[in-house]
Amino acid sequence: MFSVRYWLFWLLILLSNRVFAGDSIWTGTGPLGGGVFQLAFDPTNAQTAYATTRGGVFKTLDAGANWTRASNGIVATTVYPLPLILDHEAPQILYTFDSSLRLYRSNDGGGNWQILSTNLSQDFLFQTMSDVAGETGSLFIGGVSQAATGLPQLFKSDARGKTFVRIGTGLPADARIASITVDSLDPNLVYVGVYGRGAVDQASLFRSVDGGVNFSPQLNLFGALGYQPDVQDLSFIAGTGASATGSLFAVINYNIYHSNNGGTTWTGPHGPASTITAHPSDALKSYVGRADGAFIWLAPNPMPTFLSYNEGFTPNSTYLSIPGDVPIRAAVSRLVAQPGFPASGKSLYATTDGSGVFSRADIATSWSATAGNPAGVGVRALAIHAHPSLNTAAGSSVLFAGHSSFAVSSPGLYRSSDQALSWLPLNNGLRANELRALRIDATTLGGSIANTVIYAGGTSSFENASYGGAGLFRSVDNGSSWLSMDGDLPLDSTLHANIGLVRDLELDPRSCPVPPLIGPCTSGGLRRIYALADGYLVNNAPNFNLTHRLVRSNDFGVTWTRLDALSSGLPPSFSNADISQRITPNTLVIDPNNSNVLYLGTDALYDDFNTGDAIVPADLASGVFKSVNAGANWQHLNANGLPTKLGFANTQLDVGAILIDPTNSNILWVALTDLRSSGFATIFRSADAGLSWTRVDEGINSSVEMRSLSFDPQNPNILYAAAGGYEANPGAIYRGVWSPGTQSIVWLSISIGLPAESAYTVAVDPFNPNVLHAGTDVGVASITRAPDQDNDGISDAVENLAPDVPGGLVGLGDGNGDGVLDSMQRDVGSIGVVIRAPENGAGNAVTTDMINGTGTSACSNGTAQAVDVQVIAPGALGVDGVDGSSDFYRHSPGINSFEVLGCNTAVIRIRYHGASFTSPLWTFRVFAPLIAGDVASIRWYDFSSNATRISADTWQLNLTAGGFGSYRPESDAIHFVGGPACFNPILFRDGLEDNPTVLPSCGD
């Protein structure tokens, strides 16, 4: 029986963008900026705009000074730069789709989004969309079908995206539609660009003069190029309708083509471009975006002009090219003119790949980063500063976060000095666009904080060779300035050190000048550093080999030695025309008592490019390796119980993390994943320095990706694991407490508030172990754990406020009336939810109680463990539309979410204290995949066949693991999201009768 209770205070913390670590709720805190894909201004209000990032949709009401999340109902984060458009005739109506290609519409300026169930084939993949000028509720969508149709792949909706009609006679059959633009003065004039299909002699660009019904080819480059190229972008200055005058700019094959008569004749190619935006009033002027910055292109013949437009356009002014001393430029995603531009006070905006949003007035001399930013910084590297001067009751006040979503350019490193409330770049001399590892030298924390030594690892920019480097950095002044550590590493063709992406850094804890007899150094500075990387690519035809995947420095990173030679015992990484076999070091731990002893975790990626021959990838050793001589030689720990990938004897599951117990060097923990072939993830433990291993993953969802392990710095028997997932099978952060007496551990999810993709890493505060920070695709999330003795996700203090019920304990705290405090029952949860005045007069508390189940003994005897029990605010999951109607269901009592472990089936009762669901208009709805784990089928569904109202305020649910209503594909875990809903279409039949018939209402 699990009981849950939640108050408005906690809910507001969850929904806020900038708050301290939430009490028992993960709270996003930034850094802000990062990859911003699309930007769309309200044409009637130049201060209002919308942007998309990996975190979804954001909205500004002050031209970018401040942004708020506007993503209620958007299921998946927008991992790819997918379109965002608004209806210019009704700008409160917006459309977007997510990385799983669900189409959404908002009717209230991004306040709430509804998943649209269209009449498009499930084989159709959205690619681009465009508003139809002059027509409210109309839009075009272009894409490609996964099945051959013999038909054009362009559609139009005049029903606000609910239904679509195939149009585009004259477009090449089944060609992928890449770009659509419409004359803002004449909706009949439509231009479409397609992706090229190689040796196909057909046009790349087409024009319609009848609103997209019919198209004719406008530009065929096959004769000039010998193949049909891709269209990357189109931009059009309005002409005079069907006469087809106007200025049309196209980016084709990453070059500019221009027509000054609406596409009848063309000039080009004129120079490299990725995206192009026509000047709003100058038919010969356009703005060009590329990975190396922003440019102006002027079109007059015969001498077109290409001008740099990059003053101030950098995320890091100290990230300089050599030679030239030119700061690295932000990589442009889109260039968007503010309504009214170029008039005084109006600006051109640039969204960037990794660097946030910039703006520039037409008369300005340089770009400037906007005052605020939406959240789009991916974080895989975290470090918490443990200097004694930073110790506060809320934990350390200083954190570092590395921007780890691949970007051509980014600030790289951020620092917070206020418990992750706000973040600022910290990049003086740091030539990195991506960071995967941050390590603080603990032996430098005894003196002035200004002398703290920090190491960082990642990559330098690949866009411009002059910005290159090995991706290894050192700061001796607490991050105020940085030096590259490239000594003796191999040089690529640009004469820059290059060992690929640096995945991990580890400092030898006993490499100070005078180490103690036992244990790690406490002062003096650590000299020895290990770096793990993808490797340096060597062309030894017919093979391409990767070397320097593991290197070591004995002199603070001044010089490096390779440790992955074939003679070392580590298998090679290579590829050729037939096969690819990559064994990549992922993680390293060092014995704190004997630093000659190392444990290395690797992952293995095999590809057979020619499955028809007898050559297949070898069964290479991978997984966990051990060295007893500081990395000079390695032994594969294979015959010891660690699982191998399907079909292999030596290739173990990929290692996401390794831990070594700081109090007992024989105890190791390893997190393993192989979702690609074997389809599961797990955790193993060794008590004999890796000679044998035991599986210890009770409570872990085997279908998620294990990424990180961390100890509680004050108690190595308490561990945390970070795992990644996706919207139909959410990832999690797990907490486990090892019991020495029973030699067992149970992992319990503590994931309320985390994004579905969840976390890459988790860090525990050294001063307050109840404070945790996690790196996610959309920044740092933080939590302050409150006492929760039944581990259901609701603090004891909150759960003990459950209301009195007949037969229960006298006083509060027994929401299900069984005579036991809910806070002591891991299968009972009571949540008090005050969200808004309910339509049906519902009370403030919800109790969720497991009646019985099948599965483990705990499940069947009524003590099953529930985790992450919560009530989600109405609207947080978007609009629950009524099929065949423009109306929607109301979820005024809130939406229940919980997970039950170890159960194949479960019977759950949910009581909404003080509510009345006696009206026939009430039903029960779930927000879930139709098939467990299936990303394409997530939406609202009727669940009344599995839900029965057993009293005025109580529903009983019948749930099955892996079945409808559960997210998890596992057979022993049930992840549920749903709640009561009411649809009240009318109060009176028509309002015109002499004696109108009164219909039931939600409150009756």
Side-chain angles (χ1 to χ4, degrees), residues 744-813:
S744 64
I745 187 171
V746 176
W747 299 88
L748 300 175
S749 175
I750 51 168
S751 304
I752 296 175
L754 281 174
E757 292 78 6
S758 205
Y760 291 100
T761 185
V762 57
V764 189
D765 191 279
F767 304 129
N768 183 349
N770 287 316
V771 176
L772 313 175
H773 304 280
T776 77
D777 274 328
V778 290
V780 176
S782 303
I783 189 173
T784 299
R785 296 188 64 254
D788 176 17
Q789 60 184 317
D790 59 0
N791 296 302
D792 58 7
I794 311 109
S795 68
D796 296 340
V798 172
E799 202 161 4
N800 286 337
L801 296 177
D804 278 327
V805 296
L809 292 173
V810 177
L812 301 177

Side-chain angles (χ1 to χ4, degrees), residues 130-336:
S130 175
D131 179 47
V132 179
E135 297 182 11
T136 302
S138 295
L139 70 154
F140 293 115
I141 282 187
V144 68
S145 176
Q146 298 177 92
T149 67
L151 298 170
Q153 300 301 307
L154 180 67
F155 297 85
K156 182 181 180 182
S157 174
D158 293 322
R160 298 195 302 169
K162 290 292 289 183
T163 58
F164 286 85
V165 175
R166 190 188 301 272
I167 58 174
T169 299
L171 293 174
D174 291 319
R176 183 190 296 263
I177 306 301
S179 187
I180 307 168
T181 189
V182 184
D183 187 333
S184 61
L185 301 180
D186 183 359
N188 287 315
L189 188 55
V190 183
Y191 294 91
V192 165
V194 301
Y195 275 1
R197 291 190 287 180
V200 178
D201 187 2
Q202 67 184 22
S204 298
L205 189 64
F206 297 80
R207 182 179 70 197
S208 172
V209 295
D210 57 9
V213 177
N214 297 282
F215 282 85
S216 59
Q218 293 297 293
L219 182 59
N220 189 334
L221 296 172
F222 184 85
L225 300 176
Y227 59 92
Q228 184 199 12
D230 295 343
V231 175
Q232 283 82 38
D233 200 14
L234 295 173
S235 189
F236 183 64
I237 295 178
T240 57
S243 63
T245 60
S247 193
L248 180 61
F249 299 87
V251 178
I252 305 176
N253 205 34
Y254 293 100
N255 272 281
I256 300 170
Y257 290 81
H258 177 248
S259 173
N260 61 7
N261 51 18
T264 301
T265 60
W266 292 85
T267 64
H270 291 295
S274 296
T275 180
I276 195 163
T277 301
H279 189 281
S281 57
D282 186 341
L284 298 180
K285 187 175 184 179
S286 62
Y287 299 96
V288 170
R290 302 194 315 222
D292 60 344
F295 302 84
I296 292 175
W297 188 73
L298 301 172
N301 281 311
M303 294 294 293
T305 305
F306 217 99
L307 303 174
S308 176
Y309 200 53
N310 290 292
E311 300 83 358
F313 197 49
T314 177
N316 183 353
S317 60
T318 70
Y319 194 167
L320 306 177
S321 66
I322 301 172
D325 290 337
V326 178
I328 190 170
R329 296 166 179 168
V332 176
S333 298
R334 298 296 308 177
L335 292 164
V336 179

